């Protein structure tokens, strides 16, 4: 990737928190696209363990979750020779650039971040400087690789906007240094809703029975889908307003099979919700089970995981070094060798 002699491809950077329990919503909205993105962009997937420690973590748990997440990425079929899948903490330039960018970010900007305000309220006993500075580390993640594109959900838009502001500010002072990144909005974005309250987005921070986790056992998946809230008129047609539960299940089925809502309605209307829900469960299991099997195999192969993580970190670090030497020069830090 770093020696690309062909037409220069755009760089896509994505940071993913090792917070465990990715859901079917994450899968349909983001994860399953990763494999497709790989053919279009040079992709970096960073497991952002340094961001994770801005809230208290159990060390053993954190380490385990980081390895699990890396295994899951590989199980999705990402090719580690094409995409870099690595731990943020293994590439020290993230922190180095974050420090420098700190000096170009205003307190007022960080004080305005809604995620900081939310997290500070939620962790009132631990409002640490890292939590405050979180968006600057995120800006460093992105700018370090001169990323063109960053896939972000609604909750990260403000952070990406700040990243752009910092990049533009720096470029204005020192001349062209950083690529100003764009948000990447996936083309087909099925929004998966909670199984128990289909007017809310499916979320891993809600109770267990409201979401399907990518790594849920097939029996559990079927049980959760059978218990999904629907309505009492026993008809299968797409009407998110009046039939949010049924429409959500149809959306899931359609996203996974490619069938249109009309086709799904024609096939299942009048057959009873039991049959319909089982069909949804079949489709979800058919999609996730092979991933789960690959995941288990990869997670057990420590030699392979070790190889991927070091090689990816080395390659990422080489890209990062190029940006850092440019930044050092621009800011006026002494050269390492005269
Ligand atoms: N803050 C992001 C989240 O919570 C994770 C993240 C860290 C990130 N660094 C990033 C996302 C860089 C995109 C780009 O989801």
């Amino acid at each position: 990737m770093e020696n690309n002699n062909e037409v220069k491809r755009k760089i896509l950077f994505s940071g993913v928190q090792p917070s465990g329990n990715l859901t079917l919503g994450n899968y349909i909205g983001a994860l399953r696209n990763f494999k497709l993105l790989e053919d279009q962009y040079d992709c970096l997937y960073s497991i952002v363990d340094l961001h994770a420690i801005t809230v208290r973590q159990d060390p053993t748990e954190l380490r385990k979750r980081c390895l699990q997440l890396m295994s899951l990425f590989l199980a999705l079929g990402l090719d580690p020779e094409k995409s870099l899948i690595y731990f943020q903490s293994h590439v020290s330039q993230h922190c180095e650039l974050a420090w420098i960018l700190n000096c170009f970010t205003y307190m007022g900007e960080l004080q305005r971040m809604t995620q900081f305000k939310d997290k500070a309220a939620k962790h009132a006993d631990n409002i640490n400087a890292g939590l405050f500075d979180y968006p600057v580390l995120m800006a460093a993640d992105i700018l370090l690789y001169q990323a063109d594109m960053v896939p972000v959900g609604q909750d990260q838009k403000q952070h990406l906007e700040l990243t752009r502001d910092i990049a533009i500010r720096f470029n204005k002072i020192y001349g062209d240094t950083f690529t100003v990144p764009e948000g990447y909005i996936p083309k087909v974005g099925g929004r998966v809703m909670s199984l128990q309250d289909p007017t809310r987005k499916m979320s891993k921070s809600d109770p267990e029975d409201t979401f399907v986790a990518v790594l849920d056992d097939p029996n559990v998946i079927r049980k959760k889908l059978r218990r999904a809230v629907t309505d009492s008129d026993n008809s299968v047609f797409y009407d998110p307003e009046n039939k949010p539960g049924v429409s959500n299940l149809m959306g899931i089925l359609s996203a996974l099979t490619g069938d249109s809502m009309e086709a799904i309605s024609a096939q299942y209307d009048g057959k009873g919700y039991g049959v319909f829900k089982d069909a949804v469960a079949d489709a979800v299991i058919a999609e996730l089970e092979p991933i789960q099997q690959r995941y288990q195999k990869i997670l057990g192969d420590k030699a392979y995981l070790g190889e991927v993580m070091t090689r990816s970190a080395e390659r990422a670090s080489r890209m990062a070094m190029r940006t850092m030497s440019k930044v050092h020069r621009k800011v006026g830090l002494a050269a390492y060798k005269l």
Side-chain angles (χ1 to χ4, degrees), residues 13-17 48 51 134 138 141-142 150-152 156 159:
F13 184 94
S14 183
V16 187
Q17 282 258 18
V48 293
H51 277 110
Y134 181 115
M138 181 162 158
D141 295 342
I142 297 166
V150 182
V152 280
Q156 296 300 316
H159 288 163

Side-chain angles (χ1 to χ4, degrees), residues 14-23 26-27 31 34 45-50 52 61-78 84-88 204 214-215 291 294-296 298-299 302 305 308-309:
S14 183
V16 187
Q17 282 258 18
S19 47
N21 248 350
L22 288 162
T23 70
N26 300 127
Y27 179 77
L31 298 175
F34 284 2
Y45 295 105
S46 185
I47 297 168
V48 293
D49 47 4
L50 296 171
E61 263 302 305
L62 177 61
R63 194 162 15 242
K64 196 169 97 195
R65 273 193 272 111
C66 285
L67 283 178
Q68 287 172 336
L69 189 54
M70 177 169 276
S71 305
L72 181 61
F73 279 176
L74 292 166
L76 293 172
L78 289 178
L84 299 188
I85 308 167
Y86 72 98
F87 296 119
Q88 185 187 32
K204 63 190 167 200
V214 174
L215 295 174
I291 296 172
R294 285 198 296 272
Y295 166 81
Q296 288 303 344
I298 293 167
L299 188 62
K302 293 291 179 283
L305 276 177
V308 171
M309 80 169 76

Side-chain angles (χ1 to χ4, degrees), residues 70 84-93 145 306-320:
M70 177 169 276
L84 299 188
I85 308 167
Y86 72 98
F87 296 119
Q88 185 187 32
S89 63
H90 287 183
V91 180
S92 58
Q93 288 90 346
Y145 300 99
E307 220 170 89
V308 171
M309 80 169 76
T310 18
R311 186 165 152 67
S312 301
E314 279 166 14
R315 291 169 68 197
S317 182
R318 241 174 291 147
M319 292 173 76

Side-chain angles (χ1 to χ4, degrees), residues 59-191:
T60 310
E61 263 302 305
L62 177 61
R63 194 162 15 242
K64 196 169 97 195
R65 273 193 272 111
C66 285
L67 283 178
Q68 287 172 336
L69 189 54
M70 177 169 276
S71 305
L72 181 61
F73 279 176
L74 292 166
L76 293 172
L78 289 178
D79 175 355
E81 282 306 309
K82 287 192 194 158
S83 304
L84 299 188
I85 308 167
Y86 72 98
F87 296 119
Q88 185 187 32
S89 63
H90 287 183
V91 180
S92 58
Q93 288 90 346
H94 286 252
C95 292
E96 294 167 21
L97 183 58
W99 175 259
I100 292 175
L101 298 181
N102 270 331
C103 305
F104 297 87
T105 309
Y106 300 112
M107 297 290 286
E109 289 178 303
L110 295 177
Q111 263 149 359
R112 276 200 297 278
M113 294 291 119
T114 57
Q115 191 167 72
F116 170 70
K117 288 192 250 181
D118 291 348
K119 286 194 179 171
K122 209 166 137 196
H123 306 276
D125 56 339
N126 182 21
I127 307 177
N128 61 72
L131 192 64
F132 188 63
D133 204 32
Y134 181 115
V136 181
L137 180 58
M138 181 162 158
D141 295 342
I142 297 166
L143 301 181
L144 194 52
Y145 300 99
Q146 308 289 351
D148 300 282
M149 312 285 248
V150 182
V152 280
Q154 196 57 41
D155 65 324
Q156 296 300 316
K157 274 207 177 134
Q158 199 184 26
H159 288 163
L160 183 62
E161 225 18 76
L162 178 69
T163 302
R164 291 169 51 88
D165 289 344
I166 296 171
I168 291 166
R169 182 175 305 148
F170 194 101
N171 288 347
K172 220 179 229 155
I173 303 173
Y174 296 108
D176 228 7
T177 309
F178 295 119
T179 302
V180 180
E182 306 277 339
Y184 175 86
I185 319 286
K187 279 189 200 77
V188 278
R191 206 167 123 89

